[in-house]
Amino acid sequence: MASRAIFLVLLVAAAAVASASAQLDEKFYSQTCPSVEAVVRREMVRALSAAPSLAGPLLRMHFHDCFVRGCDGSVLLDTQGNNTAEKDATPNQTLRGFGFVERVKAAVEKACPGTVSCADVLALMARDAVWLSKGPFWAVPLGRRDGRVSIANETNQLPPPTANFTVLTQLFAAKNLDLKDLVVLSAGHTIGTSHCFSFSDRLYNFTGMDNVHDVDPTLEVQYRARLRSKCPSLDDNTTVVEMDPGSFRTFDLGYFKHVAKRRGLFHSDGALLTNSFTRAYVQRHAAGFQEEFFADFAASMVKMGNVDVLTGAQGEIRKKCSVVN
């Protein structure tokens, strides 16, 4: 009887998730704010024309939003009182673009007051960041509502750059994302930069021996030397390097080419070579098949964008993304 009760609870929970996802609709604002995508794209074109390096951070921000409390805009909320918000947690302290999100939201508010959620604005911005970086375009299902809670400690759900394959698969599976989503979404690292401290333990003190030879043996030798020249010590907290050297502003297959040569920047990138399925995907797309990868990336982004969304009467539509109404 107990097992049957547990089964029913799981069935109800699964149905609730499916119902929430089903309420998202590419044409959700067709009557209430038909210009929303045009408004977002206009602002994105302006911003990326002036600062093309902002594309990677905006894509990363959407990813970080969806992995904590679902895609509900909680990553955008400011710390209030004694509660430290997600954006001030260690994994999010290198995020940037919050001010620009507010600017885009203000433009949307001017066109359609109190109608479009910050979560949807961020999802559209992430899509346009990829597309304007010469990546794929996809229709974004809309209708998310904004959450009212943001807790720094919950960012432990984010896949860290230091994660091995087991940890990565567990964290992705917790969001109903599979191995294909893992390898496909990891390729978002084809645009953007990273601070040295996110990977410098691969260059120095890898096993705790604390000497110049204590390095990650899975990292290709010449690439490791190049990274060491850019990141001279474990204490470097300011230097940034390209995640996809040579084409870090273009959404392309460069990421797979680097990972296949053991030149993935993070532990998590190199970990993709330790599993037969993800390794095969990396090697296939290191050799080509860009249209196939673009279609896969679009599909995984839509899937991730459905994670634990608030819909209907849940949550709210924030007027400003950094504070609840």
Side-chain angles (χ1 to χ4, degrees):
M1 182 68 80
S3 61
R4 185 167 184 266
I6 293 172
F7 173 76
L8 289 174
V9 169
L10 292 173
L11 193 62
V12 170
V17 171
S19 176
S21 299
Q23 292 181 49
L24 297 185
D25 186 342
E26 297 161 11
K27 298 180 180 179
F28 187 84
Y29 298 111
S30 62
Q31 300 299 317
T32 56
C33 191
S35 64
V36 59
E37 295 201 37
V39 172
V40 171
R41 188 160 307 122
R42 180 191 68 212
E43 296 298 324
M44 286 292 292
V45 169
R46 287 176 180 172
L48 295 188
S49 295
S53 63
L54 195 57
L58 291 173
L59 175 60
R60 181 174 174 232
M61 192 182 295
H62 179 49
F63 184 96
H64 282 220
D65 184 35
C66 291
F67 262 74
V68 183
R69 290 188 166 266
C71 312
D72 69 342
S74 57
V75 73
L76 304 171
L77 286 171
D78 286 343
T79 291
Q80 297 290 335
N82 294 324
N83 176 64
T84 304
E86 292 170 32
K87 68 163 57 170
D88 292 320
T90 299
N92 288 333
Q93 287 178 359
T94 55
L95 287 180
R96 61 189 182 93
F98 291 106
F100 179 55
V101 174
E102 290 287 11
R103 191 174 96 185
V104 176
K105 170 63 172 171
V108 172
E109 280 293 304
K110 184 177 180 180
C112 313
T115 304
V116 182
S117 68
C118 295
D120 276 348
V121 167
L122 185 55
L124 289 170
M125 291 175 69
R127 188 271 310 276
D128 286 354
V130 170
W131 181 62
L132 292 170
S133 301
K134 300 183 180 179
F137 183 90
W138 63 92
V140 178
L142 300 167
R144 299 168 189 81
R145 305 270 291 179
D146 294 322
R148 298 187 179 96
V149 177
S150 183
I151 301 172
N153 290 342
E154 293 183 348
T155 57
N156 60 7
Q157 300 170 68
L158 290 168
T162 56
N164 61 29
F165 194 78
T166 299
V167 171
L168 289 171
T169 53
Q170 290 171 344
L171 292 171
F172 270 70
K175 306 303 174 185
N176 198 33
L177 298 170
D178 58 25
L179 288 185
K180 186 173 183 180
D181 299 313
L182 167 58
V183 65
V184 168
L185 292 173
S186 293
H189 292 164
T190 188
I191 53 174
T193 58
S194 173
H195 287 79
C196 290
F197 60 74
S198 293
F199 58 86
S200 57
D201 65 316
R202 304 185 77 189
L203 312 177
Y204 310 96
N205 200 30
F206 182 62
T207 64
M209 293 172 60
D210 197 19
N211 66 58
V212 294
H213 303 294
D214 191 15
V215 297
D216 184 348
T218 67
L219 198 57
E220 193 270 330
V221 175
Q222 291 183 343
Y223 183 54
R224 185 175 69 215
R226 193 178 311 145
L227 290 176
R228 274 189 154 190
S229 70
K230 294 178 180 295
C231 306
S233 76
L234 282 170
D235 300 321
D236 188 334
N237 294 319
T238 56
T239 304
V240 296
V241 301
E242 301 170 5
M243 292 192 290
D244 182 357
S247 64
F248 77 107
R249 292 179 177 175
T250 303
F251 197 95
D252 57 18
L253 296 175
Y255 170 81
F256 293 117
K257 295 175 182 178
H258 288 297
V259 173
K261 294 177 181 177
R262 295 189 295 117
R263 294 179 179 179
L265 189 61
F266 306 118
H267 288 274
S268 57
D269 296 325
L272 298 176
L273 297 179
T274 65
N275 172 268
S276 60
F277 177 86
T278 53
R279 181 172 61 250
Y281 192 95
V282 167
Q283 292 171 340
R284 174 176 173 81
H285 293 91
F289 306 100
Q290 180 166 280
E291 289 186 9
E292 178 182 277
F293 163 57
F294 278 13
D296 289 344
F297 189 83
S300 287
M301 285 295 290
V302 170
K303 188 175 176 182
M304 184 186 75
N306 278 336
V307 170
D308 296 336
V309 294
L310 303 177
T311 59
Q314 298 172 312
E316 65 181 13
I317 303 297
R318 285 184 223 141
K319 293 180 176 65
K320 290 186 63 178
C321 294
S322 58
V323 293
V324 297
N325 293 341

